[in-house]
Amino acid sequence: MNINQNYLNLKDNYLFAEIARKVKEFKAANPDKDIIRLGIGDVTLPLAPVVVDAMKNAAIEMGDAKTFRGYDDNQGYDFLKSSVAGYYAKKGVSIDENEIFICDGAKSDTANILDIFGADNAVVIPDPVYPVYADTNIMVGREASFIDGNIGNTFLPMPDTNVKFDIVYLCSPNNPTGAVYNKEQLKIWVDYANSIDAIILFDSAYEAYVCDDNLPTSIFQIEGAKKCAIEFCSLSKTAGFTGTRCGYTIVPQSLVRNEVGLNKLWRRRQGTKFNGVSYIVQRGAEAVFSEEGQNQTKEGIAYYMQNAKIISDALSKLGIWYSGGKNSPYIWLKCPNGLSSWEFFDLLLTKANVVGTPGAGFGANGEGFFRLTSFGDKDNIIEAMKRITDILK
Amino acid sequence: MNINQNYLNLKDNYLFAEIARKVKEFKAANPDKDIIRLGIGDVTLPLAPVVVDAMKNAAIEMGDAKTFRGYDDNQGYDFLKSSVAGYYAKKGVSIDENEIFICDGAKSDTANILDIFGADNAVVIPDPVYPVYADTNIMVGREASFIDGNIGNTFLPMPDTNVKFDIVYLCSPNNPTGAVYNKEQLKIWVDYANSIDAIILFDSAYEAYVCDDNLPTSIFQIEGAKKCAIEFCSLSKTAGFTGTRCGYTIVPQSLVRNEVGLNKLWRRRQGTKFNGVSYIVQRGAEAVFSEEGQNQTKEGIAYYMQNAKIISDALSKLGIWYSGGKNSPYIWLKCPNGLSSWEFFDLLLTKANVVGTPGAGFGANGEGFFRLTSFGDKDNIIEAMKRITDILK
């Protein structure tokens, strides 16, 4: 009996535990200080009324023999897949319903998708990065290569055409940097992936935050992407579903490798290892895509984006370099005065009583950077940026 | 770029597609016939009122900023883990809350658990078998060995002490055979697993159907099991959650291999690749474990067990050998007159207009056997058994 020894190569992620420890210590020593959290990676606004109503009604249906639903054997109910297809149609993207897989969130599927790929594939991951991409590769014994995000490329790394690979992760709008690829940049990625037979795993979990109509919100808005890309999206940040759990993954029918359709492979994987998302949640998700749902959830996003503007305006005035904040709930800033990520964390905590997230927690290229998020209360954010301005100006 | 070539070794499971095709053909040729389905593997009774109310209330909470919940970072909310621990306490089993992992169903976790084990482990699977056990091993390139369930061992295979292995799947009450291990039998399994350092993956998804107080409903009722077993359970069949999705997996803290705690490994796996179960569903699940919830859900199980008795009584009268039906919703019968599984299927369909499931679909040892289920309407089941009796007596 052996455990999966690859797990022993995982580094413990102490980032949020270490933040919590430092905050706790500071509070104990300074019980009168009012601490504001701008490090939170979770939404705070409640679900839209139309979503709540849909889930209440679905719960009632489940209590009635005439409308009760058992297993969802088809990777999502048709009503929700139809809503998702309609959402893509508005983006100018034609997606067939059997290309849509309803899931419990983008995290699960970006992790589980590796099941359908061979162990010998070369994987490329941008740094800084959402830790799940790297960790799930380590878990299967695969050593990924990293490509550099930095100020020089505004944290939007482009392919190095001297380097061949089989799989690349792209996340746009990016967590943690808030950077967003434009269509020309994504076209270069798609063309290169097609030229080397590679797959792009495209994480679009923050697509609803894109306000600039010229920026892409789906990789499938790029010509040729249906031959090289899988897209992962979620209602977590779009509609406050972090605790409600629903997402969707698009695997085009035209995506073929080794003469096998990846749509068929992923369907087999999900059919064998997953039993679908709760009917009640799927009805809530359907409501997000209704006209009323779109209006109500966009109000929430507008609130967060107003917060993001307060943060980024303050940083602009201070002359601090940052990315994000315009089409993303995240603001990724260069720590002033050459401070390291954790030195800046300590400075903000002790002098401004503001908590953020050290960029070093997102990879080597995050050192010297810092993430602020807009998922908080507006008045708190105004106060936090006033305090930060006071200590840095 | 290579796909996971192991997927090419999976056999397409045509069982239910073939059943559907045959039924469709028969209906087209005989539109006046009233077909009764006793092949259904899904529950049909609606959710208990207390569960519906809990989910409605939880949906309302999610619509209010004061009670909104985001990410569940702890593998299940404390309120539900506490309920599960209380349920085990009533079985005489002490489970710590940090040994409980809330999940979206037993299927997901019995499949995903393989992630934490090494590829070189020898795996043993009883035949006949729930297809997921075998398929998920094929997916990671592992060729499992089978142990025989048959009339001689009443479909309850015991360990062959000449054979060493690392992992064994046990499902009791069993799908598809309805057979239930007694405590003495499970003690032999536990002792043998401990003696060879093996892990028992114990699927107890049908434990709520055990009516005989002397039969075990958890592997952890067996001394020594916490050193060799992981238990998977679900509310799918207990409380009609097949479309609502909630289960739980117990990984004891004392379960250690290669000097590493499997609880810690599984927590890392789930924390990296899973984002928890919907808050709304977890509140519904909590309600199942309340006194009212237990009373209401037990009514549903009693209904199904009454159906099971109707089926098994009729088979007894016909002198047909069967297992299950007493502490299980499944009745596994030997096809009369030496018929093959599919020959008996055709006979029942064409002469009695009753649909069941050919045992051959569950493995080589299922040939010549047939599964009937009690998840139907009582009056239909009475009529179906009358028709079956008429053609077989």
PDB file of all heavy atoms in Angstrom, chain A residues 1-4 42 47 62 71 107 115-116 118 121 166 258 271 279, chain B residues 1-4 42 47 62 71 107 115-116 118 121 166 243 258 271 279:
ATOM      1  N   MET A   1       0.847  -1.204   0.000  1.00  0.00           N
ATOM      2  CA  MET A   1       0.000   0.000   0.000  1.00  0.00           C
ATOM      3  C   MET A   1       0.878   1.248   0.000  1.00  0.00           C
ATOM      4  O   MET A   1       1.665   1.459   0.912  1.00  0.00           O
ATOM      5  CB  MET A   1      -0.900  -0.018   1.252  1.00  0.00           C
ATOM      6  CG  MET A   1      -1.403   1.330   1.766  1.00  0.00           C
ATOM      7  SD  MET A   1      -2.307   2.342   0.565  1.00  0.00           S
ATOM      8  CE  MET A   1      -3.659   1.297   0.111  1.00  0.00           C
ATOM      9  N   ASN A   2       0.752   2.008  -1.027  1.00  0.00           N
ATOM     10  CA  ASN A   2       1.454   3.287  -1.078  1.00  0.00           C
ATOM     11  C   ASN A   2       0.471   4.422  -1.313  1.00  0.00           C
ATOM     12  O   ASN A   2      -0.459   4.286  -2.105  1.00  0.00           O
ATOM     13  CB  ASN A   2       2.484   3.297  -2.212  1.00  0.00           C
ATOM     14  CG  ASN A   2       3.780   2.636  -1.789  1.00  0.00           C
ATOM     15  OD1 ASN A   2       4.332   2.969  -0.750  1.00  0.00           O
ATOM     16  ND2 ASN A   2       4.237   1.684  -2.584  1.00  0.00           N
ATOM     17  N   ILE A   3       0.718   5.510  -0.616  1.00  0.00           N
ATOM     18  CA  ILE A   3      -0.049   6.715  -0.927  1.00  0.00           C
ATOM     19  C   ILE A   3       0.476   7.295  -2.239  1.00  0.00           C
ATOM     20  O   ILE A   3       1.515   6.861  -2.751  1.00  0.00           O
ATOM     21  CB  ILE A   3       0.066   7.764   0.198  1.00  0.00           C
ATOM     22  CG1 ILE A   3       1.521   8.209   0.362  1.00  0.00           C
ATOM     23  CG2 ILE A   3      -0.505   7.220   1.500  1.00  0.00           C
ATOM     24  CD1 ILE A   3       1.683   9.496   1.128  1.00  0.00           C
ATOM     25  N   ASN A   4      -0.230   8.262  -2.778  1.00  0.00           N
ATOM     26  CA  ASN A   4       0.259   9.005  -3.937  1.00  0.00           C
ATOM     27  C   ASN A   4       1.403   9.904  -3.459  1.00  0.00           C
ATOM     28  O   ASN A   4       1.181  10.938  -2.834  1.00  0.00           O
ATOM     29  CB  ASN A   4      -0.888   9.838  -4.525  1.00  0.00           C
ATOM     30  CG  ASN A   4      -0.453  10.695  -5.691  1.00  0.00           C
ATOM     31  OD1 ASN A   4       0.737  10.846  -5.969  1.00  0.00           O
ATOM     32  ND2 ASN A   4      -1.425  11.266  -6.382  1.00  0.00           N
ATOM     33  N   ASP A  42     -13.558  36.660  -1.457  1.00  0.00           N
ATOM     34  CA  ASP A  42     -14.919  36.119  -1.521  1.00  0.00           C
ATOM     35  C   ASP A  42     -15.896  37.276  -1.660  1.00  0.00           C
ATOM     36  O   ASP A  42     -15.667  38.368  -1.145  1.00  0.00           O
ATOM     37  CB  ASP A  42     -15.211  35.347  -0.229  1.00  0.00           C
ATOM     38  CG  ASP A  42     -16.401  34.415  -0.347  1.00  0.00           C
ATOM     39  OD1 ASP A  42     -17.095  34.440  -1.380  1.00  0.00           O
ATOM     40  OD2 ASP A  42     -16.632  33.660   0.615  1.00  0.00           O
ATOM     41  N   LEU A  47     -27.330  36.994  -2.614  1.00  0.00           N
ATOM     42  CA  LEU A  47     -27.864  36.555  -3.904  1.00  0.00           C
ATOM     43  C   LEU A  47     -28.984  37.491  -4.363  1.00  0.00           C
ATOM     44  O   LEU A  47     -29.697  38.069  -3.544  1.00  0.00           O
ATOM     45  CB  LEU A  47     -28.428  35.130  -3.801  1.00  0.00           C
ATOM     46  CG  LEU A  47     -27.436  34.008  -3.490  1.00  0.00           C
ATOM     47  CD1 LEU A  47     -28.164  32.656  -3.487  1.00  0.00           C
ATOM     48  CD2 LEU A  47     -26.276  33.976  -4.475  1.00  0.00           C
ATOM     49  N   MET A  62     -39.317  20.030  -5.387  1.00  0.00           N
ATOM     50  CA  MET A  62     -38.684  18.779  -4.953  1.00  0.00           C
ATOM     51  C   MET A  62     -39.478  18.093  -3.837  1.00  0.00           C
ATOM     52  O   MET A  62     -39.248  16.923  -3.544  1.00  0.00           O
ATOM     53  CB  MET A  62     -37.254  19.046  -4.479  1.00  0.00           C
ATOM     54  CG  MET A  62     -36.322  19.490  -5.593  1.00  0.00           C
ATOM     55  SD  MET A  62     -36.047  18.208  -6.842  1.00  0.00           S
ATOM     56  CE  MET A  62     -34.596  17.417  -6.171  1.00  0.00           C
ATOM     57  N   TYR A  71     -31.870  11.854 -10.394  1.00  0.00           N
ATOM     58  CA  TYR A  71     -30.578  12.042 -11.050  1.00  0.00           C
ATOM     59  C   TYR A  71     -30.687  12.940 -12.281  1.00  0.00           C
ATOM     60  O   TYR A  71     -31.605  12.806 -13.079  1.00  0.00           O
ATOM     61  CB  TYR A  71     -30.011  10.688 -11.503  1.00  0.00           C
ATOM     62  CG  TYR A  71     -29.524   9.816 -10.385  1.00  0.00           C
ATOM     63  CD1 TYR A  71     -30.082   8.552 -10.162  1.00  0.00           C
ATOM     64  CD2 TYR A  71     -28.484  10.224  -9.558  1.00  0.00           C
ATOM     65  CE1 TYR A  71     -29.619   7.734  -9.141  1.00  0.00           C
ATOM     66  CE2 TYR A  71     -28.025   9.405  -8.536  1.00  0.00           C
ATOM     67  CZ  TYR A  71     -28.591   8.160  -8.324  1.00  0.00           C
ATOM     68  OH  TYR A  71     -28.137   7.349  -7.316  1.00  0.00           O
ATOM     69  N   LYS A 107     -13.260  25.899 -10.079  1.00  0.00           N
ATOM     70  CA  LYS A 107     -12.124  25.264  -9.403  1.00  0.00           C
ATOM     71  C   LYS A 107     -12.123  23.761  -9.619  1.00  0.00           C
ATOM     72  O   LYS A 107     -11.104  23.174  -9.982  1.00  0.00           O
ATOM     73  CB  LYS A 107     -12.172  25.574  -7.905  1.00  0.00           C
ATOM     74  CG  LYS A 107     -11.074  24.926  -7.080  1.00  0.00           C
ATOM     75  CD  LYS A 107     -11.213  25.387  -5.642  1.00  0.00           C
ATOM     76  CE  LYS A 107     -10.265  24.689  -4.695  1.00  0.00           C
ATOM     77  NZ  LYS A 107     -10.410  25.244  -3.329  1.00  0.00           N
ATOM     78  N   ASP A 115      -7.571  14.942 -15.667  1.00  0.00           N
ATOM     79  CA  ASP A 115      -7.841  13.498 -15.769  1.00  0.00           C
ATOM     80  C   ASP A 115      -7.804  12.992 -17.209  1.00  0.00           C
ATOM     81  O   ASP A 115      -7.420  11.841 -17.448  1.00  0.00           O
ATOM     82  CB  ASP A 115      -9.235  13.162 -15.204  1.00  0.00           C
ATOM     83  CG  ASP A 115      -9.280  13.129 -13.687  1.00  0.00           C
ATOM     84  OD1 ASP A 115      -8.274  13.508 -13.049  1.00  0.00           O
ATOM     85  OD2 ASP A 115     -10.330  12.737 -13.145  1.00  0.00           O
ATOM     86  N   ILE A 116      -8.245  13.827 -18.149  1.00  0.00           N
ATOM     87  CA  ILE A 116      -8.400  13.317 -19.521  1.00  0.00           C
ATOM     88  C   ILE A 116      -7.130  13.481 -20.360  1.00  0.00           C
ATOM     89  O   ILE A 116      -7.111  13.075 -21.522  1.00  0.00           O
ATOM     90  CB  ILE A 116      -9.614  13.949 -20.263  1.00  0.00           C
ATOM     91  CG1 ILE A 116      -9.413  15.445 -20.519  1.00  0.00           C
ATOM     92  CG2 ILE A 116     -10.899  13.708 -19.488  1.00  0.00           C
ATOM     93  CD1 ILE A 116     -10.448  16.026 -21.495  1.00  0.00           C
ATOM     94  N   GLY A 118      -2.856  12.948 -20.963  1.00  0.00           N
ATOM     95  CA  GLY A 118      -1.774  12.028 -20.645  1.00  0.00           C
ATOM     96  C   GLY A 118      -0.769  12.622 -19.674  1.00  0.00           C
ATOM     97  O   GLY A 118      -0.614  13.841 -19.576  1.00  0.00           O
ATOM     98  N   ASN A 121       2.357  15.056 -20.911  1.00  0.00           N
ATOM     99  CA  ASN A 121       2.209  16.375 -21.534  1.00  0.00           C
ATOM    100  C   ASN A 121       3.043  17.442 -20.824  1.00  0.00           C
ATOM    101  O   ASN A 121       3.186  17.419 -19.604  1.00  0.00           O
ATOM    102  CB  ASN A 121       0.739  16.797 -21.517  1.00  0.00           C
ATOM    103  CG  ASN A 121      -0.093  15.989 -22.489  1.00  0.00           C
ATOM    104  OD1 ASN A 121       0.299  15.810 -23.638  1.00  0.00           O
ATOM    105  ND2 ASN A 121      -1.234  15.469 -22.031  1.00  0.00           N
ATOM    106  N   ASP A 166       2.210  21.402 -24.390  1.00  0.00           N
ATOM    107  CA  ASP A 166       0.967  20.705 -24.735  1.00  0.00           C
ATOM    108  C   ASP A 166      -0.262  21.369 -24.124  1.00  0.00           C
ATOM    109  O   ASP A 166      -1.352  21.309 -24.678  1.00  0.00           O
ATOM    110  CB  ASP A 166       1.051  19.248 -24.264  1.00  0.00           C
ATOM    111  CG  ASP A 166       2.205  18.520 -24.923  1.00  0.00           C
ATOM    112  OD1 ASP A 166       2.204  18.446 -26.163  1.00  0.00           O
ATOM    113  OD2 ASP A 166       3.103  18.045 -24.209  1.00  0.00           O
ATOM    114  N   ASN A 258      -5.376  13.030 -30.752  1.00  0.00           N
ATOM    115  CA  ASN A 258      -5.218  11.577 -30.943  1.00  0.00           C
ATOM    116  C   ASN A 258      -6.473  10.985 -31.579  1.00  0.00           C
ATOM    117  O   ASN A 258      -6.895   9.868 -31.242  1.00  0.00           O
ATOM    118  CB  ASN A 258      -4.956  10.835 -29.619  1.00  0.00           C
ATOM    119  CG  ASN A 258      -3.746  11.331 -28.851  1.00  0.00           C
ATOM    120  OD1 ASN A 258      -3.768  11.346 -27.633  1.00  0.00           O
ATOM    121  ND2 ASN A 258      -2.698  11.736 -29.552  1.00  0.00           N
ATOM    122  N   GLY A 271     -19.444  11.625 -16.315  1.00  0.00           N
ATOM    123  CA  GLY A 271     -20.479  10.610 -16.120  1.00  0.00           C
ATOM    124  C   GLY A 271     -20.056   9.533 -15.128  1.00  0.00           C
ATOM    125  O   GLY A 271     -20.889   8.952 -14.428  1.00  0.00           O
ATOM    126  N   TYR A 279     -30.523  20.159  -8.426  1.00  0.00           N
ATOM    127  CA  TYR A 279     -31.590  20.764  -9.230  1.00  0.00           C
ATOM    128  C   TYR A 279     -31.921  22.163  -8.733  1.00  0.00           C
ATOM    129  O   TYR A 279     -32.117  23.097  -9.522  1.00  0.00           O
ATOM    130  CB  TYR A 279     -32.841  19.872  -9.162  1.00  0.00           C
ATOM    131  CG  TYR A 279     -34.058  20.491  -9.806  1.00  0.00           C
ATOM    132  CD1 TYR A 279     -34.121  20.657 -11.177  1.00  0.00           C
ATOM    133  CD2 TYR A 279     -35.126  20.945  -9.026  1.00  0.00           C
ATOM    134  CE1 TYR A 279     -35.228  21.253 -11.774  1.00  0.00           C
ATOM    135  CE2 TYR A 279     -36.237  21.537  -9.611  1.00  0.00           C
ATOM    136  CZ  TYR A 279     -36.281  21.682 -10.987  1.00  0.00           C
ATOM    137  OH  TYR A 279     -37.365  22.277 -11.575  1.00  0.00           O
TER     138      TYR A 279
ATOM    139  N   MET B   1       1.048  16.500 -27.453  1.00  0.00           N
ATOM    140  CA  MET B   1      -0.241  16.436 -26.753  1.00  0.00           C
ATOM    141  C   MET B   1      -0.815  15.034 -26.860  1.00  0.00           C
ATOM    142  O   MET B   1      -1.090  14.550 -27.957  1.00  0.00           O
ATOM    143  CB  MET B   1      -1.195  17.463 -27.374  1.00  0.00           C
ATOM    144  CG  MET B   1      -2.682  17.179 -27.214  1.00  0.00           C
ATOM    145  SD  MET B   1      -3.257  16.975 -25.519  1.00  0.00           S
ATOM    146  CE  MET B   1      -2.811  18.512 -24.777  1.00  0.00           C
ATOM    147  N   ASN B   2      -0.970  14.407 -25.737  1.00  0.00           N
ATOM    148  CA  ASN B   2      -1.631  13.106 -25.706  1.00  0.00           C
ATOM    149  C   ASN B   2      -2.801  13.140 -24.742  1.00  0.00           C
ATOM    150  O   ASN B   2      -2.710  13.723 -23.661  1.00  0.00           O
ATOM    151  CB  ASN B   2      -0.656  12.022 -25.251  1.00  0.00           C
ATOM    152  CG  ASN B   2       0.187  11.518 -26.403  1.00  0.00           C
ATOM    153  OD1 ASN B   2      -0.338  11.164 -27.453  1.00  0.00           O
ATOM    154  ND2 ASN B   2       1.491  11.509 -26.211  1.00  0.00           N
ATOM    155  N   ILE B   3      -3.867  12.490 -25.148  1.00  0.00           N
ATOM    156  CA  ILE B   3      -4.967  12.286 -24.211  1.00  0.00           C
ATOM    157  C   ILE B   3      -4.552  11.188 -23.230  1.00  0.00           C
ATOM    158  O   ILE B   3      -3.527  10.527 -23.407  1.00  0.00           O
ATOM    159  CB  ILE B   3      -6.272  11.874 -24.933  1.00  0.00           C
ATOM    160  CG1 ILE B   3      -6.065  10.526 -25.664  1.00  0.00           C
ATOM    161  CG2 ILE B   3      -6.726  12.956 -25.896  1.00  0.00           C
ATOM    162  CD1 ILE B   3      -7.363   9.844 -26.027  1.00  0.00           C
ATOM    163  N   ASN B   4      -5.330  11.028 -22.174  1.00  0.00           N
ATOM    164  CA  ASN B   4      -5.139   9.910 -21.245  1.00  0.00           C
ATOM    165  C   ASN B   4      -5.577   8.632 -21.966  1.00  0.00           C
ATOM    166  O   ASN B   4      -6.762   8.364 -22.126  1.00  0.00           O
ATOM    167  CB  ASN B   4      -5.990  10.147 -20.001  1.00  0.00           C
ATOM    168  CG  ASN B   4      -5.882   9.005 -18.999  1.00  0.00           C
ATOM    169  OD1 ASN B   4      -5.350   7.939 -19.293  1.00  0.00           O
ATOM    170  ND2 ASN B   4      -6.414   9.248 -17.810  1.00  0.00           N
ATOM    171  N   ASP B  42     -33.358   4.888  -9.371  1.00  0.00           N
ATOM    172  CA  ASP B  42     -33.490   6.227  -8.801  1.00  0.00           C
ATOM    173  C   ASP B  42     -34.721   6.265  -7.905  1.00  0.00           C
ATOM    174  O   ASP B  42     -35.717   5.589  -8.175  1.00  0.00           O
ATOM    175  CB  ASP B  42     -33.645   7.241  -9.945  1.00  0.00           C
ATOM    176  CG  ASP B  42     -33.366   8.662  -9.508  1.00  0.00           C
ATOM    177  OD1 ASP B  42     -33.196   8.907  -8.296  1.00  0.00           O
ATOM    178  OD2 ASP B  42     -33.325   9.536 -10.391  1.00  0.00           O
ATOM    179  N   LEU B  47     -38.876  14.934  -1.657  1.00  0.00           N
ATOM    180  CA  LEU B  47     -38.146  15.269  -0.437  1.00  0.00           C
ATOM    181  C   LEU B  47     -39.118  15.444   0.728  1.00  0.00           C
ATOM    182  O   LEU B  47     -40.260  15.872   0.539  1.00  0.00           O
ATOM    183  CB  LEU B  47     -37.349  16.555  -0.625  1.00  0.00           C
ATOM    184  CG  LEU B  47     -36.224  16.532  -1.658  1.00  0.00           C
ATOM    185  CD1 LEU B  47     -35.500  17.887  -1.664  1.00  0.00           C
ATOM    186  CD2 LEU B  47     -35.235  15.410  -1.375  1.00  0.00           C
ATOM    187  N   MET B  62     -29.608  33.355   2.049  1.00  0.00           N
ATOM    188  CA  MET B  62     -28.594  33.722   1.052  1.00  0.00           C
ATOM    189  C   MET B  62     -28.946  35.012   0.324  1.00  0.00           C
ATOM    190  O   MET B  62     -28.099  35.602  -0.336  1.00  0.00           O
ATOM    191  CB  MET B  62     -28.422  32.587   0.034  1.00  0.00           C
ATOM    192  CG  MET B  62     -27.847  31.319   0.633  1.00  0.00           C
ATOM    193  SD  MET B  62     -26.137  31.519   1.207  1.00  0.00           S
ATOM    194  CE  MET B  62     -25.248  31.056  -0.282  1.00  0.00           C
ATOM    195  N   TYR B  71     -17.779  31.163   0.477  1.00  0.00           N
ATOM    196  CA  TYR B  71     -17.063  29.885   0.443  1.00  0.00           C
ATOM    197  C   TYR B  71     -17.200  29.120   1.754  1.00  0.00           C
ATOM    198  O   TYR B  71     -17.109  29.701   2.841  1.00  0.00           O
ATOM    199  CB  TYR B  71     -15.570  30.125   0.198  1.00  0.00           C
ATOM    200  CG  TYR B  71     -15.226  30.551  -1.208  1.00  0.00           C
ATOM    201  CD1 TYR B  71     -14.609  31.774  -1.451  1.00  0.00           C
ATOM    202  CD2 TYR B  71     -15.509  29.734  -2.298  1.00  0.00           C
ATOM    203  CE1 TYR B  71     -14.268  32.169  -2.741  1.00  0.00           C
ATOM    204  CE2 TYR B  71     -15.183  30.128  -3.591  1.00  0.00           C
ATOM    205  CZ  TYR B  71     -14.559  31.344  -3.803  1.00  0.00           C
ATOM    206  OH  TYR B  71     -14.234  31.730  -5.078  1.00  0.00           O
ATOM    207  N   LYS B 107     -20.822   8.730  -5.148  1.00  0.00           N
ATOM    208  CA  LYS B 107     -20.181   8.404  -6.423  1.00  0.00           C
ATOM    209  C   LYS B 107     -18.919   9.242  -6.627  1.00  0.00           C
ATOM    210  O   LYS B 107     -17.863   8.714  -6.974  1.00  0.00           O
ATOM    211  CB  LYS B 107     -21.158   8.659  -7.566  1.00  0.00           C
ATOM    212  CG  LYS B 107     -20.598   8.419  -8.958  1.00  0.00           C
ATOM    213  CD  LYS B 107     -21.711   8.644  -9.979  1.00  0.00           C
ATOM    214  CE  LYS B 107     -21.248   8.541 -11.402  1.00  0.00           C
ATOM    215  NZ  LYS B 107     -22.381   8.684 -12.335  1.00  0.00           N
ATOM    216  N   ASP B 115      -7.307   9.375  -6.104  1.00  0.00           N
ATOM    217  CA  ASP B 115      -6.269  10.402  -6.266  1.00  0.00           C
ATOM    218  C   ASP B 115      -5.171  10.298  -5.201  1.00  0.00           C
ATOM    219  O   ASP B 115      -4.015  10.624  -5.478  1.00  0.00           O
ATOM    220  CB  ASP B 115      -6.878  11.816  -6.147  1.00  0.00           C
ATOM    221  CG  ASP B 115      -7.599  12.271  -7.397  1.00  0.00           C
ATOM    222  OD1 ASP B 115      -7.788  11.455  -8.312  1.00  0.00           O
ATOM    223  OD2 ASP B 115      -7.985  13.457  -7.449  1.00  0.00           O
ATOM    224  N   ILE B 116      -5.535   9.902  -3.995  1.00  0.00           N
ATOM    225  CA  ILE B 116      -4.538   9.958  -2.905  1.00  0.00           C
ATOM    226  C   ILE B 116      -3.736   8.666  -2.784  1.00  0.00           C
ATOM    227  O   ILE B 116      -2.856   8.578  -1.926  1.00  0.00           O
ATOM    228  CB  ILE B 116      -5.178  10.322  -1.537  1.00  0.00           C
ATOM    229  CG1 ILE B 116      -6.116   9.222  -1.022  1.00  0.00           C
ATOM    230  CG2 ILE B 116      -5.919  11.656  -1.630  1.00  0.00           C
ATOM    231  CD1 ILE B 116      -6.541   9.425   0.438  1.00  0.00           C
ATOM    232  N   GLY B 118      -1.238   5.560  -4.507  1.00  0.00           N
ATOM    233  CA  GLY B 118      -0.217   5.353  -5.528  1.00  0.00           C
ATOM    234  C   GLY B 118      -0.718   4.478  -6.666  1.00  0.00           C
ATOM    235  O   GLY B 118      -1.626   3.650  -6.491  1.00  0.00           O
ATOM    236  N   ASN B 121      -0.662   0.332  -6.517  1.00  0.00           N
ATOM    237  CA  ASN B 121      -1.435  -0.486  -5.588  1.00  0.00           C
ATOM    238  C   ASN B 121      -2.252  -1.566  -6.306  1.00  0.00           C
ATOM    239  O   ASN B 121      -2.758  -1.342  -7.400  1.00  0.00           O
ATOM    240  CB  ASN B 121      -2.387   0.401  -4.779  1.00  0.00           C
ATOM    241  CG  ASN B 121      -1.651   1.260  -3.770  1.00  0.00           C
ATOM    242  OD1 ASN B 121      -0.808   0.766  -3.035  1.00  0.00           O
ATOM    243  ND2 ASN B 121      -1.948   2.551  -3.759  1.00  0.00           N
ATOM    244  N   ASP B 166      -3.913  -4.194  -1.872  1.00  0.00           N
ATOM    245  CA  ASP B 166      -3.732  -2.922  -1.173  1.00  0.00           C
ATOM    246  C   ASP B 166      -5.049  -2.204  -0.910  1.00  0.00           C
ATOM    247  O   ASP B 166      -5.190  -1.482   0.060  1.00  0.00           O
ATOM    248  CB  ASP B 166      -2.805  -2.010  -1.987  1.00  0.00           C
ATOM    249  CG  ASP B 166      -1.440  -2.635  -2.183  1.00  0.00           C
ATOM    250  OD1 ASP B 166      -0.793  -2.934  -1.169  1.00  0.00           O
ATOM    251  OD2 ASP B 166      -1.041  -2.848  -3.341  1.00  0.00           O
ATOM    252  N   GLY B 243     -31.275  14.022  -6.815  1.00  0.00           N
ATOM    253  CA  GLY B 243     -31.226  15.265  -7.582  1.00  0.00           C
ATOM    254  C   GLY B 243     -30.858  16.474  -6.741  1.00  0.00           C
ATOM    255  O   GLY B 243     -30.749  17.582  -7.257  1.00  0.00           O
ATOM    256  N   ASN B 258       2.350   4.895   4.902  1.00  0.00           N
ATOM    257  CA  ASN B 258       3.636   5.572   4.615  1.00  0.00           C
ATOM    258  C   ASN B 258       3.868   6.712   5.613  1.00  0.00           C
ATOM    259  O   ASN B 258       4.376   7.786   5.248  1.00  0.00           O
ATOM    260  CB  ASN B 258       3.679   6.147   3.190  1.00  0.00           C
ATOM    261  CG  ASN B 258       3.428   5.125   2.105  1.00  0.00           C
ATOM    262  OD1 ASN B 258       2.821   5.436   1.088  1.00  0.00           O
ATOM    263  ND2 ASN B 258       3.885   3.901   2.296  1.00  0.00           N
ATOM    264  N   GLY B 271      -9.485  20.254  -0.678  1.00  0.00           N
ATOM    265  CA  GLY B 271      -9.247  21.695  -0.599  1.00  0.00           C
ATOM    266  C   GLY B 271      -8.724  22.251  -1.912  1.00  0.00           C
ATOM    267  O   GLY B 271      -8.972  23.402  -2.256  1.00  0.00           O
ATOM    268  N   TYR B 279     -24.527  25.757   0.357  1.00  0.00           N
ATOM    269  CA  TYR B 279     -25.051  26.012   1.699  1.00  0.00           C
ATOM    270  C   TYR B 279     -26.503  25.564   1.810  1.00  0.00           C
ATOM    271  O   TYR B 279     -26.912  24.965   2.812  1.00  0.00           O
ATOM    272  CB  TYR B 279     -24.934  27.505   2.024  1.00  0.00           C
ATOM    273  CG  TYR B 279     -25.613  27.905   3.302  1.00  0.00           C
ATOM    274  CD1 TYR B 279     -25.107  27.493   4.534  1.00  0.00           C
ATOM    275  CD2 TYR B 279     -26.784  28.663   3.293  1.00  0.00           C
ATOM    276  CE1 TYR B 279     -25.739  27.835   5.722  1.00  0.00           C
ATOM    277  CE2 TYR B 279     -27.420  29.013   4.467  1.00  0.00           C
ATOM    278  CZ  TYR B 279     -26.900  28.598   5.682  1.00  0.00           C
ATOM    279  OH  TYR B 279     -27.538  28.930   6.843  1.00  0.00           O
TER     280      TYR B 279
END
